[in-house]
Amino acid sequence: MRRARFRRTRRAGAVTLVSALTLTALAACGTSSSDDGDDGDGNSANANPAAPLDPGTKVTITIDCMPPAAKKAELKEWNEDIEEFNKKYPNVTVEGRSTPGQCLEPPRFTAMLKAKSQPDVFYTYFTDLDQVLDNDGAQDISAYVNDRTVPLLKDIDPDVLGSLKKDGKLYGLPTSNYRMGLLINRTLFEKAGLDPDTPPATWEDVRAAAKRIAGLGGGVAGFGEYSAGNTGGWHFTAQMYSLGGEVVDASGTKAAFNDATGRQVAQNLHAMRWEDDAMGKTQLLKWGDLQKQIATDKLGMFLAAPDDIAYMVQQLGAKYENFGMGPIPGGKNTLSGGNNYMIKKGISSDKIKAAIAWLDFKNLSVGKGQFDWERTKADGLPVGVPQPNFWLNDSKSKDDAARTRYATMPVQNFKAFMDNPVPGKAEPPKAQEIYKVLDNVMSGILTDKDADIDKLLSTAETQVDQVLANR
């Protein structure tokens, strides 16, 4: 799940771009030299998929999610990256497509896939893979991706790449990833006599800290949760994972949350809400509501992904210094996700190679493109949020050092989160439909003091089983 991210939140829907701006790189327009030689599978008859793009290849590719004009700094960097990319590939024309507002919107994305009108290189979330493949929308790029075409391939977290694979075939390359943790308001922690450098590590600790923070009065809540717009189910899933539970069984055909772990999650939330009065009286919250509360010092903590912090500073006027982050309480697993680009099925081999060359430069090169942290800082954009965080080995060391060097925020506030990584688990199949059902569990717990937890879980189990039966 994500915002738009619903960005993390939609996670199973996804967009489409109707083009508002079109950017053409500093190169002559042209069509792929292989466009007339396709063999029917999107590959040129004489092409070697494993070989890198020939620098002399003349081809035009269309790409989703070019920053809109309103995002001046991001658009400036996009233009600069195309100019730099064209120094090596002067005959590749990159045409960007941009939509004001959210980059991805579920109805548009679904309509785009059905109409097969997606750009050559289109943006998706990790959980969109099944939907894309059901609509025969993405090219299998397994033969095209190797350590010659993506030199740092070995340093990309295999779990992240695994989210983009189906039956052993690779269908996308990552742009960003996240793992959910516990976001805290450092000011409120200090006022309540809590150590902001040591966020609660268990759900028992969360409950105790929430009571102390709520005890400050003035309408302050200690812990916040969602219960509407599919976000409640998203967070119920995260809490299940944190305790080692599952939402769907290993077969992917049955609900698995109506058990002791599910009751533990539900009972703990009910106790914080009604026994402790530590979650505030306003409920039926969705993405954006908790961010506003914590940014105005009205909320002590909630589950979030790291980039919520940048959003609150850039959009809500908060200060980076006011926030910290720890691993998800419980620490067994955490919900993980991310976004990526896929390549339209059926385009020419040269276009596929050009797309991979661009994605490698823009999104998968330490010190370049999105990882040029010196430039990011100079352009007034945030540096230091521990996301994207998919690098391993030497690439991780280099990226971490640069991110720290050019940080625009106190990176030590995220030390607990970074030093205690929790294994990530992907969202369940039919995630959005399941989350919608589980919203009812969350809203029942948080709005009804006399909620029948066993009945809420049992009803949700029946409904989720029906959702999964229709896969």
Side-chain angles (χ1 to χ4, degrees), residues 67-136:
K71 293 189 173 183
K72 294 181 180 179
E74 291 91 337
L75 183 57
K76 166 187 169 290
E77 292 184 355
W78 173 280
N79 291 337
E80 289 173 348
D81 286 339
I82 290 179
E83 183 175 359
E84 186 66 25
F85 178 73
N86 282 148
K87 290 179 180 179
K88 182 174 182 180
Y89 301 106
N91 296 319
V92 175
T93 299
V94 176
E95 293 184 354
R97 296 185 178 182
S98 176
T99 297
Q102 292 191 162
C103 181
L104 294 187
E105 296 173 357
R108 289 179 178 177
F109 185 74
T110 298
M112 177 185 73
L113 289 176
K114 292 186 179 303
K116 303 203 180 297
S117 61
Q118 67 267 40
D120 298 325
V121 189
F122 61 103
Y123 184 93
T124 79
Y125 299 123
F126 289 175
T127 49
D128 292 328
L129 180 59
D130 285 341
Q131 184 187 14
V132 173
L133 295 184
D134 286 345
N135 286 276
D136 202 26

Side-chain angles (χ1 to χ4, degrees), residues 344-367:
K344 185 177 183 178
K345 186 172 182 179
I347 66 173
S348 71
S349 179
D350 283 349
K351 283 192 174 190
I352 295 170
K353 290 185 176 186
I356 290 170
W358 165 255
L359 294 175
D360 174 64
F361 173 82
K362 179 66 174 171
N363 298 323
L364 300 173
S365 296
V366 172

Side-chain angles (χ1 to χ4, degrees), residues 164-244:
L164 303 173
K165 292 180 179 180
K166 184 73 179 258
D167 299 328
K169 298 176 181 179
L170 180 67
Y171 290 96
L173 290 172
T175 299
S176 185
N177 69 309
Y178 75 92
R179 293 187 181 189
M180 199 174 287
L182 184 69
L183 180 64
I184 70 166
N185 180 302
R186 293 177 63 88
T187 298
L188 293 178
F189 262 63
E190 290 172 351
K191 285 183 177 180
L194 300 166
D195 182 3
D197 294 324
T198 310
T202 69
W203 286 106
E204 291 81 4
D205 293 341
V206 168
R207 184 177 176 185
K211 289 174 68 173
R212 291 183 63 171
I213 294 168
L216 295 172
V220 170
F223 181 74
E225 259 304 357
Y226 301 129
S227 52
N230 296 17
T231 56
W234 174 42
H235 271 209
F236 185 89
T237 298
Q239 291 205 34
M240 286 291 295
Y241 286 178
S242 76
L243 294 171

Side-chain angles (χ1 to χ4, degrees), residues 87-420:
K87 290 179 180 179
K88 182 174 182 180
Y89 301 106
N91 296 319
V92 175
T93 299
V94 176
E95 293 184 354
R97 296 185 178 182
S98 176
T99 297
Q102 292 191 162
C103 181
L104 294 187
E105 296 173 357
R108 289 179 178 177
F109 185 74
T110 298
M112 177 185 73
L113 289 176
K114 292 186 179 303
K116 303 203 180 297
S117 61
Q118 67 267 40
D120 298 325
V121 189
F122 61 103
Y123 184 93
T124 79
Y125 299 123
F126 289 175
T127 49
D128 292 328
L129 180 59
D130 285 341
Q131 184 187 14
V132 173
L133 295 184
D134 286 345
N135 286 276
D136 202 26
Q139 176 71 37
D140 171 12
I141 58 174
S142 306
Y144 292 85
V145 176
N146 54 65
D147 58 8
R148 295 173 65 200
T149 58
V150 181
L152 298 183
L153 183 64
K154 70 181 188 309
D155 287 349
I156 299 174
D157 186 337
D159 288 340
V160 171
L161 287 176
S163 298
L164 303 173
K165 292 180 179 180
K166 184 73 179 258
D167 299 328
K169 298 176 181 179
L170 180 67
Y171 290 96
L173 290 172
T175 299
S176 185
N177 69 309
Y178 75 92
R179 293 187 181 189
M180 199 174 287
L182 184 69
L183 180 64
I184 70 166
N185 180 302
R186 293 177 63 88
T187 298
L188 293 178
F189 262 63
E190 290 172 351
K191 285 183 177 180
L194 300 166
D195 182 3
D197 294 324
T198 310
T202 69
W203 286 106
E204 291 81 4
D205 293 341
V206 168
R207 184 177 176 185
K211 289 174 68 173
R212 291 183 63 171
I213 294 168
L216 295 172
V220 170
F223 181 74
E225 259 304 357
Y226 301 129
S227 52
N230 296 17
T231 56
W234 174 42
H235 271 209
F236 185 89
T237 298
Q239 291 205 34
M240 286 291 295
Y241 286 178
S242 76
L243 294 171
E246 300 286 351
V247 170
V248 173
D249 72 5
S251 72
T253 62
K254 292 287 184 181
F257 53 79
N258 186 14
D259 61 2
T261 304
R263 285 187 289 279
Q264 181 180 345
V265 169
Q267 288 166 354
N268 186 59
L269 286 169
H270 191 268
M272 282 197 286
R273 170 69 176 96
W274 298 106
E275 294 176 28
D276 304 340
D277 194 21
M279 295 185 68
K281 301 191 184 306
T282 302
Q283 296 300 325
L284 299 180
L285 305 175
K286 57 184 182 301
W287 202 96
D289 296 328
L290 297 178
Q291 288 78 359
K292 291 175 183 175
Q293 290 181 7
I294 202 168
T296 54
D297 296 337
K298 291 297 184 181
L299 176 64
M301 53 190 160
F302 73 102
L303 297 182
D307 59 345
D308 277 14
I309 298 168
Y311 166 78
M312 291 186 293
V313 172
Q314 291 182 301
Q315 302 298 321
L316 303 179
K319 301 294 184 184
Y320 287 117
E321 294 76 11
N322 202 28
F323 304 110
M325 197 157 203
I328 194 168
K332 299 283 186 172
N333 293 292
T334 187
L335 190 148
S336 62
N339 48 274
N340 60 281
Y341 277 97
M342 294 182 182
I343 297 173
K344 185 177 183 178
K345 186 172 182 179
I347 66 173
S348 71
S349 179
D350 283 349
K351 283 192 174 190
I352 295 170
K353 290 185 176 186
I356 290 170
W358 165 255
L359 294 175
D360 174 64
F361 173 82
K362 179 66 174 171
N363 298 323
L364 300 173
S365 296
V366 172
K368 298 179 181 179
Q370 71 164 334
F371 292 107
D372 185 347
W373 299 119
E374 181 177 11
R375 178 184 67 174
T376 303
K377 180 178 181 178
D379 288 337
L381 297 171
V383 180
V385 173
Q387 182 182 330
N389 190 29
F390 53 66
W391 292 122
L392 303 174
N393 309 319
D394 192 45
S395 293
K396 177 174 175 58
S397 299
K398 290 179 179 178
D399 183 63
D400 285 351
R403 203 182 306 222
T404 299
R405 179 180 179 185
Y406 297 108
T408 59
M409 62 192 73
V411 295
Q412 66 270 17
N413 289 1
F414 314 127
K415 183 174 173 56
F417 178 78
M418 295 299 291
D419 288 353
N420 300 279

